[in-house]
Amino acid sequence: MDEKRLSVFLERSSYRRRRARDASRVLPILCLFLFSIPGLWQVGTGEIVLSEALTFLFAVWCVAILIAAALSRFLSEPVVGDDASSDQQSGG
Amino acid sequence: MVNSLVAVSLAYVAVLFLVAFYAERLAARGRGSWLRSPFVYTLSLSVYCTAWTFYGAVGSAARAGLEFLAIYLGPTLVLIGWWWVLRKIVRIGRSQKITSIADLISSRYGKSNSIAVVVTIMAVIGTTPYIALQLQSVTLSFNAFLVVSEPVSDLYDPRSTAFWVALGLAFFTILFGTRNLDANERHHGVVTAIALEAVIKLIALVAVGVFVVWQVMGGPAETFAAIDASEINLWQRDGGRWTGILFVSAAAFIALPRMFQVLVVENDDEKHLATASWAFPIYVMLMSLFVVPIAVAGLQVLPEGANPDLFVLTVPLAHGWDGLAMFAFIGGFSAATSMVIVAAIALSTMVSNHVVMPIWLASSSRDLSVAGDVRQIVLYSRRLSIAGILALGYFYLRLTGGGAALASIGLISFAGVAQFLPAMLGGIFWRAANRHGALAGLLIGFVIWAYTLFLPSFGPDALISKQILEQGLFGLSWLRPNALFGVDGLDSLVHALVWSISLNTLAFVVVSLTTFPNPMERLQGAQFVNVFDHSAEASSWSKGRAEAEDLLLMSQRIIGSTEAQKIFRREAERQGIGGYLPDTTPGFLQRLERELAGSVGAATAHAMVAQIVGRSSVSVDDLMRVADETAQIMEYSSQLEVKSSELTKTARQLTEANEKLTNLSVQKDAFLSQVSHELRTPMTSIRAFSEILENEGELNADERAKYAGIIHGETIRLTRLLDDLLDLSVLENGQVKLHIANGRLVDVIDQAIAATHFSKDQLLISRTRANEKIDVLTDLDRLSQVVINLITNAAKYCESEHPKLTILVRKDGQFLVLDFIDNGQGVPRELQEEIFEKFSRATNRAAGAGLGLAICREVMTNLGGQISYLPGQGGAAFRIMLPNP
């Protein structure tokens, strides 16, 4: 943690950056779930037609890309101060 | 048309060469910052999309519906989850100057070259068929034009296409891939060319897609209708296979040698990953966007039995759009070539660093600092490896003859490299992972993969006999390649994946837990796992004895003289030394080794520096020796401690002895002054009365008799005093002669009482004679002397009107106890110890030299007993303890 800072609360920007990291860790898990759904569709029932399946997958794909793009702006910023502790978390 | 196709292809290749050359020149001049832009990086990742995905995705969609999408979704997951894994791998790759996936794994496990060799061999086995597949795709797509076009010229032989393509690619790769031995192992020319190819293949596929949707189908709505109406809609939905492909493509995205090359080795800046995390998913999404429409269109338009793998070409051709088809061909061609180029570079780096160089190093006993140009040897070995790998791919294609077996090799190859995953991820997240575990996991995973997936993929009786396929190895049905342990009915890919990855991981974990890593592994493990904690200093050189000059000579041969001199110069400046030769500190050796590792791999660089430095960084022996020295020092220090405490003890004893001596000296002085005083008093009175007798003539007889009596009494007193002193000195010096004899205690006491002859008024003695009838073996006279003394004391000092002495006798264990208790006031507490000292008198009331009790004490000590004052008995009480015979 940043010992120089007296406040118990983090600065808004660094708080947001940390949440962006959290989100970037959650995003692939969420996507894995959504992308696995086609594997759960029943074989041969034909209830879900191919165009619907395609639309679903591409829609999820697009949303995932948009979120990833939004997150990457926070994540690629040069990090000041509180990098070490959070990096450690991701390292372990 | 074929001629123009050849011409366009050659022109395209020429453009590639120019672009690569131009980019190299820009990079060499330090210009062209766009070469290092995140978008070039992202585009270079597109080597993931090979000809197999360019053509094969459409074929796969036509045959198996949505399955092809999973191959793109896996990498998407990895990239949008870059904060988890990719970021760490890239950071490790940059800080440790990793040159290949084999280098990463071997570096992690203590720079073990055996692991590097295993990974390299596995990678070559997994990748060679893949290269063959690319060559085949070029041949097939080329032949697609032959079918519809006019007879070709005699000069052209369709079978030779693959050969010429392989040759051309080998030339390109050698030219730009081994142009220099960059310390960072980055190939700007190649990467830029790959980025261009990425754009070409994307535009080509999108162009065909747009053509299909708007030209063939007539619009998006109609396309959707056509998709739902087509036979693809009846695709087999196999959940296991879908998930399996999702997993294996994600794993392959990190572990494929060519992907590792562009993802980690060619990475210029970690921040590029952030851009790639969303830009590359867009790229693959666009690549797959029109796959289903093209497949549907192909199924609609083309006759039954047309190869769906070539729909990208044949659909435009069927509609007479030859130009578009040609563009699509170039797209497929770029997909194939970019894959082959990067794979060849990645594999040649591995083969050269981990197989050729170690063998060369081992075989050349010459001193590296004076031997030939290592740099040149590394380059040759790279070039040879590239040629070898492409030749392998080509001969593989010729031997297997291509066909369906080859088409399925894509996923099989993915599953093969996925075996690196446990060792790799375990290595960067788990410190306890060690090289035995990694090796066990890799080998088991690889064997199972080969047995269940790779070998059977060639069909029965090709590489694995039909009998084994149907009845299992050694006729054991639970060892059937497609139903291990009786698990039947699974898709072969899923089956192989489940068994190979799970047993691989299990072996990796169990062996890691049960074996012990060497020091180097532990150091590297800590650096890999905690790469974000410190800017990673790899294992240290324990002592820098290397000659800086030798190192400079060697470094120049590996990374070139300019670069090497720059490094040495910088280091010398850092150390505050002029010139090019810094002190070979461990830190410098470490940095230098890492720089060299960028060119020849960690293991080789380590070995090379070791050869000059004369020792390999930290061996177990070193540690043992250090530990030994430490133990010796600790031993020595503990010995010192013991000695020092001994000294302290001796010093203390000396101090005590000194104090004792001082005390004794004081006592001696006191004794002498006492003795002088005691002697002087009687002497004075003797002198005085003798003078009176001498001088005073008119003394009558009575007076004379009186004075003579006084003189006589004083003389007796003097004699007694001198006798006592003599007695005491004899007793104290232990020179006394004891006359040990048998006797009865009662007789001793009787004798003593008789000797003192006090009247009952003077001292009443109370005793119990019956208790005193005890035999003693001692010096009876001496004992009697003590008793007499005690009785006399009682008579002298007891202040009672009716003095009374009680003598109690009893046996107490090994002692005879005699208590002499009177009814006086006793001895004051502070004097109780003192009264046994010489010349000490409790009162001044009675005359006496004060030697009695001192003599008693000495006697008792000489008799083996003791005498002590017994407080709390009402009067003065003394206790004599005699050894009980």
Side-chain angles (χ1 to χ4, degrees):
Chain A
M1 295 295 286
D2 194 343
E3 280 160 9
K4 285 173 285 184
R5 197 170 296 140
L6 290 171
S7 163
V8 263
F9 298 108
L10 294 165
E11 225 171 75
R12 180 173 289 236
S13 67
S14 107
Y15 179 83
R16 203 178 289 162
R17 201 176 299 124
R18 280 158 174 274
R19 296 298 80 77
R21 275 174 210 160
D22 294 347
S24 75
R25 291 194 185 104
V26 172
L27 185 63
I29 298 168
L30 179 71
C31 289
L32 176 64
F33 171 71
L34 292 173
F35 286 154
S36 301
I37 287 179
L40 303 174
W41 288 331
Q42 288 299 306
V43 177
T45 55
E47 276 178 20
I48 301 200
V49 290
L50 190 58
S51 61
E52 285 171 353
L54 277 174
T55 313
F56 169 77
L57 283 174
F58 277 98
V60 172
W61 211 337
C62 287
V63 173
I65 288 169
L66 286 177
I67 297 175
L71 289 177
S72 79
R73 292 189 53 178
F74 287 105
L75 297 175
S76 59
E77 274 173 21
V79 187
V80 202
D82 59 352
D83 198 33
S85 61
S86 53
D87 275 346
Q88 216 163 10
Q89 283 165 20
S90 72
Chain B
M1 176 162 163
V2 167
N3 290 333
S4 58
L5 190 65
V6 172
V8 168
S9 302
L10 288 178
Y12 173 69
V13 170
V15 169
L16 276 189
F17 271 84
L18 278 177
V19 167
F21 184 68
Y22 179 65
E24 287 279 336
R25 276 221 352 216
L26 276 185
R29 288 180 189 170
R31 285 189 300 175
S33 55
W34 58 272
L35 290 175
R36 285 179 291 274
S37 92
F39 292 101
V40 169
Y41 177 69
T42 306
L43 286 173
S44 74
L45 297 187
S46 75
V47 289
Y48 180 75
C49 306
T50 63
W52 173 57
T53 43
F54 188 87
Y55 295 119
V58 175
S60 164
R63 290 190 204 96
L66 283 184
E67 206 175 278
F68 78 96
L69 266 183
I71 294 169
Y72 291 119
L73 291 176
T76 302
L77 285 176
V78 172
L79 270 171
I80 61 179
W82 66 289
W83 199 264
W84 281 111
V85 176
L86 281 185
R87 192 175 68 107
K88 194 163 192 179
I89 294 181
V90 168
R91 173 72 69 91
I92 290 170
R94 292 173 60 79
S95 68
Q96 301 271 333
K97 295 259 157 90
I98 299 293
T99 58
S100 66
I101 182 157
D103 199 25
L104 176 88
I105 297 179
S106 104
S107 285
R108 162 61 181 84
Y109 298 107
K111 304 187 179 175
S112 147
N113 204 51
S114 53
I115 286 200
V117 170
V118 168
V119 173
T120 302
I121 291 171
M122 285 167 68
V124 170
I125 293 177
T127 310
T128 306
Y130 212 102
I131 291 175
L133 181 64
Q134 307 305 314
L135 298 178
Q136 185 196 29
S137 80
V138 175
T139 315
L140 280 181
S141 57
F142 201 85
N143 292 350
F145 286 87
L146 295 180
V147 180
V148 290
S149 68
E150 73 275 15
V152 291
S153 64
D154 300 337
L155 288 170
Y156 177 69
D157 173 11
R159 278 174 305 170
S160 64
T161 311
F163 176 75
W164 290 112
V165 171
L167 198 68
L169 286 175
F171 181 62
F172 180 90
T173 313
I174 287 172
L175 194 59
F176 293 105
T178 62
R179 193 177 176 78
N180 53 351
L181 269 182
D182 184 6
N184 297 320
E185 197 60 37
R186 291 193 188 110
H187 310 91
H188 293 289
V190 172
V191 168
T192 313
I194 300 291
L196 175 68
E197 298 207 282
V199 175
I200 300 278
K201 68 190 175 196
L202 180 64
I203 293 178
L205 199 62
V206 169
V208 175
V210 168
F211 161 75
V212 165
V213 170
W214 277 275
Q215 191 66 34
V216 180
M217 300 285 193
E222 289 84 350
T223 309
F224 272 117
I227 287 172
D228 287 339
S230 78
E231 54 191 285
I232 300 177
N233 196 26
L234 301 173
W235 54 290
Q236 287 284 310
R237 291 159 192 177
D238 182 341
R241 192 169 159 84
W242 173 266
T243 316
I245 293 177
L246 213 54
F247 167 77
V248 83
S249 59
F253 188 73
I254 311 172
L256 275 171
R258 66 169 191 278
M259 287 317 297
F260 192 87
Q261 178 78 27
V262 287
L263 206 58
V264 180
V265 182
E266 307 278 0
N267 177 288
D268 249 330
D269 188 340
E270 250 176 73
K271 280 184 212 145
H272 292 176
L273 260 185
T275 307
S277 75
W278 54 269
F280 187 69
I282 290 183
Y283 184 89
V284 286
M285 192 184 73
L286 291 176
M287 281 298 276
S288 52
L289 193 58
F290 293 106
V291 167
V292 173
I294 294 172
V296 171
L299 290 172
Q300 273 182 359
V301 176
L302 294 169
E304 197 83 6
N307 185 356
D309 282 339
L310 292 174
F311 280 174
V312 179
L313 297 176
T314 45
V315 170
L317 279 177
H319 285 83
W321 286 56
D322 288 358
L324 182 62
M326 206 178 282
F327 188 34
F329 170 81
I330 294 297
F333 184 70
S334 16
T337 50
S338 58
M339 180 272 162
V340 174
I341 290 166
V342 180
I345 289 177
L347 284 183
S348 73
T349 307
M350 284 156 75
V351 170
S352 154
N353 284 355
H354 302 301
V355 180
V356 179
M357 286 311 289
I359 292 175
W360 182 82
L361 269 179
S363 66
S364 81
S365 51
R366 295 164 296 176
D367 185 359
L368 271 180
S369 54
V370 291
D373 197 334
V374 179
R375 190 175 155 73
Q376 213 52 46
I377 286 164
V378 172
L379 282 178
Y380 279 135
S381 114
R382 291 267 175 98
R383 287 171 185 161
L384 216 63
S385 306
I386 289 173
I389 285 157
L390 282 167
L392 264 181
Y394 174 72
F395 285 115
Y396 188 91
L397 178 66
R398 289 300 290 263
L399 288 178
T400 58
L406 206 53
S408 62
I409 206 78
L411 280 177
I412 293 173
S413 174
F414 277 20
V417 294
Q419 305 306 324
F420 300 150
L421 210 60
M424 191 164 144
L425 293 187
I428 64 172
F429 287 110
W430 185 36
R431 274 183 69 170
N434 67 34
R435 73 179 191 290
H436 301 292
L439 208 54
L442 284 170
L443 289 176
I444 285 180
F446 187 66
V447 166
I448 295 176
W449 166 78
Y451 182 66
T452 58
L453 199 60
F454 184 62
L455 299 180
S457 74
F458 295 90
D461 280 334
L463 286 175
I464 193 165
S465 79
K466 200 175 173 191
Q467 194 193 355
I468 291 179
L469 275 179
E470 283 169 3
Q471 291 164 17
L473 197 60
F474 312 122
L476 298 168
S477 67
W478 54 275
L479 281 182
R480 271 180 298 154
N482 42 21
L484 271 193
F485 306 111
V487 177
D488 216 339
L490 276 180
D491 176 79
S492 66
L493 176 75
V494 177
H495 171 264
L497 266 183
V498 165
W499 284 120
S500 60
I501 293 290
S502 61
L503 292 181
N504 177 339
T505 312
L506 185 74
F508 170 62
V509 171
V510 169
V511 176
S512 285
L513 288 177
T514 49
T515 56
F516 205 71
N518 66 32
M520 186 71 137
E521 282 178 77
R522 301 178 71 172
L523 284 171
Q524 290 292 87
Q527 301 222 325
F528 273 54
V529 174
N530 304 324
V531 68
F532 293 116
D533 291 352
H534 35 71
S535 292
E537 292 285 318
S539 72
S540 58
W541 291 92
S542 42
K543 242 175 215 169
R545 290 186 309 196
E547 293 298 329
E549 205 171 339
D550 288 344
L551 282 173
L552 179 60
L553 277 173
M554 184 195 69
S555 308
Q556 283 176 344
R557 297 198 172 101
I558 297 174
I559 53 178
S561 51
T562 333
E563 185 68 15
Q565 282 162 14
K566 213 158 67 191
I567 292 170
F568 276 67
R569 184 69 190 257
R570 202 170 52 221
E571 183 63 28
E573 271 170 25
R574 191 203 298 253
Q575 294 179 358
I577 306 171
Y580 287 94
L581 296 177
D583 287 341
T584 52
T585 60
F588 169 55
L589 288 178
Q590 204 169 45
R591 282 189 286 278
L592 180 67
E593 188 191 321
R594 211 174 286 157
E595 292 292 339
L596 299 182
S599 297
V600 292
T604 307
H606 195 64
M608 287 172 133
V609 176
Q611 210 165 329
I612 285 182
V613 176
R615 62 193 292 170
S616 123
S617 110
V618 185
S619 67
V620 181
D621 291 343
D622 289 339
L623 287 183
M624 293 300 284
R625 210 173 308 132
V626 172
D628 233 29
E629 280 168 15
T630 316
Q632 280 175 11
I633 288 168
M634 278 169 68
E635 170 105 342
Y636 183 61
S637 112
S638 81
Q639 278 175 2
L640 277 184
E641 233 165 76
V642 168
K643 274 184 186 152
S644 132
S645 76
E646 267 172 15
L647 276 179
T648 317
K649 215 158 88 187
T650 315
R652 206 168 49 233
Q653 283 170 347
L654 276 177
T655 317
E656 277 170 14
N658 192 29
E659 271 171 22
K660 230 179 234 171
L661 280 175
T662 317
N663 269 346
L664 279 176
S665 165
V666 170
Q667 277 177 21
K668 185 197 72 187
D669 292 345
F671 175 72
L672 282 177
S673 87
Q674 283 283 352
V675 168
S676 319
H677 178 74
E678 294 294 332
L679 289 178
R680 205 174 149 194
T681 318
M683 285 302 266
T684 311
S685 83
I686 288 171
R687 204 176 72 193
F689 284 107
S690 55
E691 273 172 11
I692 291 170
L693 284 178
E694 197 178 52
N695 299 337
E696 305 289 332
E698 56 274 22
L699 287 177
N700 56 31
D702 283 352
E703 279 176 333
R704 202 173 292 141
K706 184 186 166 195
Y707 292 152
I710 289 172
I711 290 173
H712 183 241
E714 289 299 331
T715 325
I716 290 174
R717 200 174 134 198
L718 259 182
T719 314
R720 200 170 63 228
L721 182 66
L722 289 173
D723 279 348
D724 281 353
L725 276 174
L726 207 60
D727 199 19
L728 194 61
S729 115
V730 167
L731 284 166
E732 276 184 341
N733 289 335
Q735 293 167 344
V736 66
K737 213 171 177 188
L738 296 174
H739 305 285
I740 305 293
N742 259 316
R744 292 191 338 149
L745 192 57
V746 64
D747 298 335
V748 176
I749 295 174
D750 281 347
Q751 189 192 337
I753 290 171
T756 54
H757 48 75
F758 287 119
S759 70
K760 283 189 179 177
D761 286 342
Q762 280 173 304
L763 185 72
L764 179 67
I765 294 174
S766 142
R767 50 195 279 230
T768 316
R769 289 180 63 92
N771 287 352
E772 293 166 2
K773 290 179 178 162
I774 300 171
D775 287 329
V776 285
L777 179 68
T778 185
D779 187 325
L780 299 172
D781 291 335
R782 284 291 182 180
L783 183 58
S784 171
Q785 183 191 357
V786 173
V787 175
I788 290 169
N789 211 312
L790 288 176
I791 294 171
T792 318
N793 274 355
K796 267 196 229 168
Y797 299 115
C798 185
E799 290 160 345
S800 171
E801 276 187 42
H802 305 288
K804 180 184 174 191
L805 181 70
T806 312
I807 301 176
L808 301 172
V809 177
R810 64 187 166 89
K811 278 190 181 179
D812 183 14
Q814 51 191 167
F815 285 103
L816 265 181
V817 180
L818 283 76
D819 288 343
F820 296 80
I821 305 166
D822 66 22
N823 57 348
Q825 289 187 337
V827 180
R829 188 178 186 81
E830 62 273 15
L831 294 175
Q832 285 172 5
E833 280 295 314
E834 213 177 272
I835 49 173
F836 294 103
E837 298 300 328
K838 287 167 283 210
F839 303 109
S840 90
R841 272 167 297 198
T843 59
N844 291 324
R845 214 187 58 162
L851 290 174
L853 283 173
I855 292 172
C856 285
R857 189 176 64 176
E858 290 307 323
V859 170
M860 289 315 297
T861 308
N862 277 293
L863 294 182
Q866 63 182 55
I867 179 168
S868 55
Y869 184 78
L870 201 60
Q873 302 298 321
F878 292 86
R879 167 168 289 184
I880 295 176
M881 294 174 87
L882 263 183
N884 190 13

